[in-house]
Amino acid sequence: MKSAVETLNPTRVRLTVEVPFEELKDSLDAAYKKINQQVTVKGFRKGKIPARVIDQRFGRGAVLEEAVNDALPKFYTEAVNEAELSPLGQPEVDITELKDGETLNFTAEVDIRPALEIPDYSGIEVEVDAVEVTDEDLEKSVEQLRERFASTSPVERAAEDGDVVTLDLEAKVDGEVLEDGVAQGVSYTIGSGELLDGIDDAVKGLSADQDATFTSELKGGSAAGKEAEVTVKVTQVAARELPALDDEFAQLASEFDTLDELKADSRKRLANMKQYDQATQAQERVLEKLLELVEVPVPEKLLEDEVNTRKHNLEHHQLGQMGLTLDKYLELQGKTAEEFETETREAAVKGIKTQFVLDELVKKENLNVNQEELTEHLMRRAASSGMSPDQFAQAVVEGGQVPLLVGEVARGKALAVVVEAATVKDTNGEVIDLDDEDETEAAVETVEAAEGAAETTDEEKAEG
C-alpha cells in the first residue's frame, strides 16, 4: 500500500491511497465466505460453493464490492497512522479506481486536529477579586442560618410579606379548568418567587377563607407558556418567627456553644468559599489569556456539529425539563434568535479551542493522569449527576467514556500548569499564591465550563 497526504487547509487533508490487488486477498476470501453463508446453489452444500460458481451466479462485482467495503477501513487506518494524523469524525471516501486483479485506488478527505504552536505563557498576568469577608457578608450568612430554623404559627390577620400561607389553586385556560391545574394545601412563603408570577400581589392582604383571581403565564405542566386565569384561596396565614440571635441559637444551629464561636466559624467558611471562587476566577482569566496567545483554526464541520449539539441539549433537555420552548426562553432572556445563534457559536468556538490548546499542552508538558486523580474526578462527576459513584463508574465504563474523563482531568492539569506559571494579583495589588489542591480541582471545573458540550469533539468520541 502507498499513501500520500495533501493539506487542503489547516484542519482538513486528503489522503490518496493505492492498494495492490494482492493485498485484498484476505478481504476477498472473507467476502466469498460471507456470501457462501448467505446464498444457496443447487448441487452444493451451504458454505461449500466454489468461488467460480459464486462469480458465475452472482457476479464478480458483488464479491469485489463486499471485499472493498471490508478492506477500506483497514487501509484508511493504516494511511492515517503512517501520516501521523489526528482525524476528527468520519472521512469522506471516494473510490477512484478499482481494477480486478490489478489495483484499488481511493481518496479520503477528513478533518484533523490542527498543528498548534504553544508560545511561552509564563508572562501571563491576570487580576482577580481580593478575598474579603465583610461584616455584611457575615450578617447575611447568619441570617440565612436563622431562616432555616424559623418557626411558624397561625395568625388571625391578613397575609403580609414573609408570611407562610396555605393555598388552594385552580388554573383555567380559555375558560376550561386544566386537569393538572388544581392543587390544594400548597404551602407558600410570600415574596419567595417560587410559584406563579403575580401570586404575591394576589394573596397579600387576604385573610383565611378569602380568595382572589389573577392572570399568569404557566411555567410548567400541560399548558406551559400559556396565559391562565388562576383562582387562589387562602386557607391559613402563618407568621414566621426567627430565633433570637444568642448563644442558645448557636447551640441549636451548630456544634458551637456561643454565638461568637458560630460567627468565627461562619467567617472562616466564607473566606474559604471566596478563596475557591478566587481560584476559579484566576483559572478563567488565565484561560482567556492563553487562548488569545494561540492561533487555533477550527474545522467548520466540527463547529457546526458542536453548535447543533449545544442547541439540541438546551432545547430538548434543559428547557424540556423546565417546560419551556426555545422561543419562550429567548423571550425571558430578552434575546433575539440571531443573538442566541451568535452566542452559541462563540461558546462552541471557545470550547473547541480550549480542548485543542489544552490537549496540545498535555503533550508538550508530558502530563499524565493517575488512578487517584481519575477516581477523585469520577466521584465529583457522580455527585453532580445524582448517581452513586458505583453507578456512575459502571455507566462510564459501559459507555466507553473513560478516555473522556481522563482527557478532562489532563486538560485541567494543563491549565493548572499555566496558572502556576502566570502572575495572579488581587485588586489590592497582592500577588496570589493559589493552593495547589484547589488550583487543580478548580482548573478541571473551569475547563468543563469552557468546553460545555464540546466533549463531543474528543477524538475518541468523534471516531466512535
Side-chain angles (χ1 to χ4, degrees):
M1 186 198 80
K2 293 193 303 182
S3 64
V5 182
E6 177 187 357
T7 300
L8 304 178
N9 62 49
T11 63
R12 193 167 180 82
V13 297
R14 179 189 292 122
L15 289 163
T16 301
V17 183
E18 298 178 10
V19 183
F21 206 80
E22 57 266 24
E23 293 187 31
L24 286 172
K25 182 180 184 307
D26 289 345
S27 292
L28 277 168
D29 291 344
Y32 279 117
K33 186 175 181 180
K34 182 176 181 180
I35 293 173
N36 241 308
Q37 300 301 320
Q38 294 175 337
V39 301
T40 57
V41 175
K42 191 174 181 180
F44 297 95
R45 283 185 298 157
K46 195 173 186 67
K48 299 296 183 179
I49 309 169
R52 60 179 176 77
V53 175
I54 290 177
D55 289 346
Q56 291 169 357
R57 296 290 297 270
F58 304 102
R60 173 72 167 175
V63 180
L64 288 176
E65 181 180 356
E66 183 67 41
V68 168
N69 288 339
D70 175 74
L72 276 177
K74 179 183 71 172
F75 291 121
Y76 165 72
T77 301
E78 286 182 16
V80 164
N81 292 338
E82 188 177 288
E84 297 183 343
L85 300 175
S86 298
L88 297 165
Q90 298 300 319
E92 295 178 7
V93 177
D94 181 27
I95 298 173
T96 55
E97 187 175 25
L98 175 59
K99 289 186 177 179
D100 194 358
E102 296 183 28
T103 187
L104 163 66
N105 298 336
F106 68 91
T107 62
E109 288 190 17
V110 67
D111 287 331
I112 60 169
R113 284 180 176 252
L116 301 179
E117 287 293 328
I118 306 294
D120 179 17
Y121 48 78
S122 61
I124 291 178
E125 294 187 11
V126 297
E127 184 180 76
V128 295
D129 294 336
V131 172
E132 296 175 352
V133 179
T134 65
D135 291 342
E136 288 77 15
D137 292 332
L138 180 59
E139 182 179 335
K140 181 179 179 182
S141 175
V142 173
E143 280 301 307
Q144 288 173 342
L145 188 59
R146 287 180 75 198
E147 292 280 349
R148 288 170 51 191
F149 286 88
S151 59
T152 60
S153 56
V155 290
E156 299 294 330
R157 60 166 172 77
E160 301 173 355
D161 267 327
D163 284 344
V164 177
V165 287
T166 305
L167 309 173
D168 293 341
L169 297 162
E170 180 183 85
K172 295 180 180 179
V173 173
D174 298 329
E176 296 290 330
V177 178
L178 299 172
E179 286 187 15
D180 55 354
V182 178
Q184 294 182 326
V186 176
S187 180
Y188 175 66
T189 301
I190 299 176
S192 66
E194 293 174 353
L195 276 178
L196 299 167
D197 292 339
I199 195 167
D200 288 339
D201 290 336
V203 298
K204 275 191 293 187
L206 297 183
S207 299
D209 295 325
Q210 291 185 325
D211 58 55
T213 300
F214 64 102
T215 58
S216 182
E217 185 176 292
L218 299 178
K219 296 179 180 179
S222 61
K226 293 184 178 180
E227 286 286 332
E229 182 183 84
V230 182
T231 299
V232 56
K233 180 181 179 181
V234 175
T235 60
Q236 178 180 277
V237 178
R240 299 177 74 250
E241 297 176 3
L242 297 178
L245 204 54
D246 53 21
D247 292 346
E248 187 176 335
F249 166 69
Q251 294 163 19
L252 170 70
S254 72
E255 70 271 30
F256 302 105
D257 293 326
T258 68
L259 182 61
D260 287 342
E261 289 174 325
L262 171 61
K263 287 185 175 181
D265 182 71
S266 297
R267 188 180 289 275
K268 182 179 178 181
R269 290 175 185 271
L270 288 170
N272 289 339
M273 289 171 56
K274 287 185 178 250
Q275 283 173 346
Y276 190 85
D277 291 343
Q278 186 186 65
T280 301
Q281 192 178 62
Q283 310 288 348
E284 293 170 349
R285 294 182 179 179
V286 168
L287 177 59
E288 293 283 354
K289 293 275 189 178
L290 176 64
L291 295 181
E292 290 172 7
L293 291 177
V294 187
E295 185 175 344
V296 185
V298 175
E300 190 57 36
K301 184 177 185 306
L302 183 66
L303 176 58
E304 291 305 320
D305 289 346
E306 178 62 17
V307 169
N308 290 334
T309 296
R310 288 171 181 261
K311 288 179 180 176
H312 179 84
N313 288 343
L314 175 66
E315 192 167 1
H316 296 282
H317 296 294
Q318 296 161 266
L319 297 184
Q321 292 174 356
M322 298 165 60
L324 292 176
T325 64
L326 180 59
D327 288 342
K328 189 59 191 176
Y329 168 75
L330 295 180
E331 181 185 327
L332 293 172
Q333 293 289 312
K335 295 177 183 176
T336 65
E338 292 74 19
E339 288 171 336
F340 170 71
E341 180 74 28
T342 299
E343 288 180 5
T344 304
R345 183 167 292 268
E346 288 174 351
V349 168
K350 181 180 179 182
I352 293 170
K353 286 185 173 182
T354 295
Q355 214 175 79
F356 284 175
V357 170
L358 294 181
D359 280 345
E360 190 66 31
L361 262 170
V362 169
K363 289 191 293 184
K364 180 179 179 180
E365 301 293 346
N366 295 314
L367 300 176
N368 295 306
V369 176
N370 60 40
Q371 187 61 49
E372 182 181 353
E373 291 167 332
L374 181 60
T375 300
E376 288 178 0
H377 181 54
L378 188 147
M379 298 279 282
R380 187 174 62 80
R381 286 289 300 270
S384 64
S385 71
M387 300 170 68
S388 73
D390 288 345
Q391 289 175 322
F392 187 80
Q394 183 177 352
V396 166
V397 172
E398 290 178 352
Q401 304 296 298
V402 173
L404 298 183
L405 262 65
V406 171
E408 289 172 356
V409 179
R411 288 190 287 275
K413 293 181 71 172
L415 179 55
V417 167
V418 181
V419 174
E420 184 69 28
T423 300
V424 181
K425 293 183 178 179
D426 67 16
T427 48
N428 295 328
E430 297 290 329
V431 175
I432 304 301
D433 184 16
L434 299 171
D435 179 83
D436 287 345
E437 184 176 343
D438 282 349
E439 187 177 323
T440 301
E441 186 177 350
V444 174
E445 293 185 12
T446 299
V447 171
E448 289 174 8
E451 290 178 0
E455 61 267 17
T456 55
T457 67
D458 271 65
E459 255 180 272
E460 301 91 344
K461 195 167 181 180
E463 292 180 333

